Amino acid sequence: MEKQGDIFINRELSWIEFNKRVLLTGMEKKYKILDKVKFCSIFSNNLDEFFMVRVASLKAQVEAGITKKSIDGLIPKEQLTRINKEVKNLTKLQENYVNNELNNELKKERIFIKKYKELSENQKNWSNNYFSSSIFPLLTPLVIDPAHPFPFISNLSLNLAAIIKNSEDSKQQFVRIKIPTKNINRFIRIPNEIIEIDDKNTHFFISVEDLIGNNINSLFNGMECINYSFFRVTRDADLELKELEADDLLLAVEQSLQKRRLGGDVVRLEVESDIPKNILRLLIKSISIQEEYIYFCKSLLGLDDLNQLTKIHRDDLKENLLVGKTHHLLKDLNSPSNKNFNSIFKILRKKDVLLHHPYDLFKTSVEEFINRAADDPLVMAIKITLYRVSKDSPIIAALMRAAENGKEVMTLVELKARFDEDNNIQWAKQLEQAGVHVVYGIIGFKTHTKIALIVRKEKGSLRNYFHIGTGNYNSNTSMFYTDLGLLSTDPEIASDLLELFNYLSGFSKQKSFKKLLVSPSSLREKFIFLIKREIKHAKQGKKAEIIAKMNSLVDTEIIELLYLASQSGVKISLIIRGICCLYPQRKNLSENIKVISIIGHFLEHSRIFWFCNDDNVEVFIGSADWMKRNLDRRIEAITPIEDLQLKSHIYSLLQTYIKDNYFSWSMKEDGSYEKNILHSDIYRSQIDLINK
């Protein structure tokens, strides 16, 4: 009998393997230098969130004495041990790369991060003056003594810890200073006239902590700094929310956010590798952290701030990704001279439109769809779900304008969208003030589906138009997340959406739908049916194949069924960007399953499910991954794509990813990944899609 670990990969370790691919992608020679910087920053940012949520959860389980095993048979303590080992190896790899190859490549391109001690006297004078005028007033040294307890260290903040000595009585004290990186840049550019170089493409920086450290004695009049070091903490940031006990969900989320800001337990302490022992001892005692959660860093702390360098105006140092065209069916619609409200609806009455962002512009498609509806006098109602929206959202503005124009506007705002809760609370309040009917979904479930419905009066009756997507209604992320969306007026799907919106607003208990696959009611059951049908066809000698693209594959029931399908002769191709808990190409288990991961300039975010069905192909797109949370604990919607031309287009798109030998990684039978070998004919999926 096979052990759990022989058929399932640990979720957390699979995520680490994904983040490793992000880091290694940024280390590849073929990428331009500022793109390498971007990947390095993303790796660090991903790691921060991983500790704040996943490591924090496991740590809490250990402290609560929970010994429930993961799908691969590990108890929480064993998982944490493996995680810390893997992450420490990866962070060392990143540090060595940043300190050596990346730094040298930046220098070759005339981008320098200088040490204070390397500066000339003139450069030091300028830097010291900048410190006095722009940094010193923002700093607040806090002494720790019996009258002043150790201060709260906020999540992900950069801090200076110092031991200072009184010049009169030689008494030593411990001091902490928070570095205000939200108010000043982490990397301070020294003007070229101070460097005495007349070249706008040359950039000299000094890190803010290096500048503060070298001006530290100016902070302590009559005191002497004996030694100092920098540190950074990561806290548990998962949101605890007792929905069932909450009378007001909006208020409950606001209160939970306040608790998060005050800070959960520390789950990681990052310190400089040469931190003085007396400072380290005091930090360990004051923060109460075990040694295995201490990370000794030989590079700058908080390398996610490297993202600042990607804003340097050097187009030659990053891939030209000025992408996005108006979908060919919508070109006339977006002509400045075309102000006819009926235009987009006339197009959809003739033909469904399949969008692929960022290659098809979000602004001239989805935003235009909502904007036209907001101003069209024949539109009676707009209904939409909002999970993550941009800070300055044109769609929010259109919804408020629609309400002002007298339309019935219903918006579901998901208050529990992780790390977007505060933003969504503010939007919810503004929408309500504008007269929009705002609901917060079903208690106990997170609403993750991306759907919009327009109700329009035409010739004395109502017609429904809709959009169903794989990504959020977010103008910013639409420029670098790849997502699909369907614009249509299919009456049966529209009817399903009406029922779903009524369910979300609490007016319906609908559990069965004509065409839509909806979780938690029918999605799992339908996917199981579709996979079992391929198994049946394979056993009967008919054509049987599955191609699925998603962010994560974790659900054990689906994985076991895919194993059975493989053993029955079903050819299975999985395009999974992140977590994959399935082992591919294992003898007598998964020989017919291939898994690839696309890590490119855009974040692959679309979910596509293609079933051969003996050449009677069925295709679906939507918001759900094959994870237990998506299938059982979230409100999700998956729509069929029924137009033969659009089905063919999606199949070609999937083949574009499968053929990729530039951005793709292949998963090996042991769960590790290797970069696909470049042939003489380089095939870059994302670049190919840009150029189409």
Side-chain angles (χ1 to χ4, degrees), residues 191-244:
N192 281 13
E193 56 266 28
I194 303 300
I195 303 297
E196 298 179 352
I197 293 178
D198 185 18
D199 176 9
K200 65 179 182 180
N201 287 330
T202 298
H203 294 71
F204 275 70
F205 297 96
I206 180 174
S207 72
V208 66
E209 64 265 36
D210 191 15
L211 182 53
I212 291 172
N214 280 279
N215 281 271
I216 193 165
N217 280 316
S218 64
L219 292 165
F220 310 115
N221 287 328
M223 311 285 279
E224 176 191 354
C225 180
I226 299 173
N227 52 32
Y228 69 89
S229 192
F230 295 93
F231 70 96
R232 183 175 185 261
V233 302
T234 311
R235 291 184 176 275
D236 179 351
D238 208 9
L239 195 67
E240 283 191 26
L241 190 63
K242 295 181 179 178
E243 284 186 73
L244 295 174

Side-chain angles (χ1 to χ4, degrees), residues 25-26 28-42 97 102 105-107 109-113 201 203 205 306-319 321 601:
T25 296
E28 290 179 29
K29 291 183 179 179
K30 61 192 180 186
Y31 284 91
K32 295 184 178 181
I33 182 60
L34 291 185
D35 289 326
K36 294 181 178 186
V37 169
K38 176 187 72 174
F39 282 113
C40 203
S41 170
I42 291 171
Y97 172 67
L102 187 68
E105 285 190 56
L106 286 169
K107 287 178 181 177
E109 300 297 345
R110 292 164 291 161
I111 298 171
F112 302 89
I113 300 176
N201 287 330
H203 294 71
F205 297 96
L306 285 173
N307 188 54
Q308 181 189 327
L309 300 180
T310 65
K311 296 177 174 62
I312 292 173
H313 295 297
R314 288 284 303 275
D315 291 339
D316 58 315
L317 302 184
K318 55 183 111 173
E319 192 73 42
L321 297 175
H601 295 290

Side-chain angles (χ1 to χ4, degrees), residues 136-165:
F136 178 82
L138 302 176
L139 302 179
T140 306
L142 297 175
V143 172
I144 288 85
D145 59 24
H148 302 87
F150 192 86
F152 174 79
I153 309 298
S154 55
N155 186 32
L156 302 182
S157 62
L158 183 62
N159 300 271
L160 182 149
I163 302 294
I164 59 173
K165 183 174 69 173

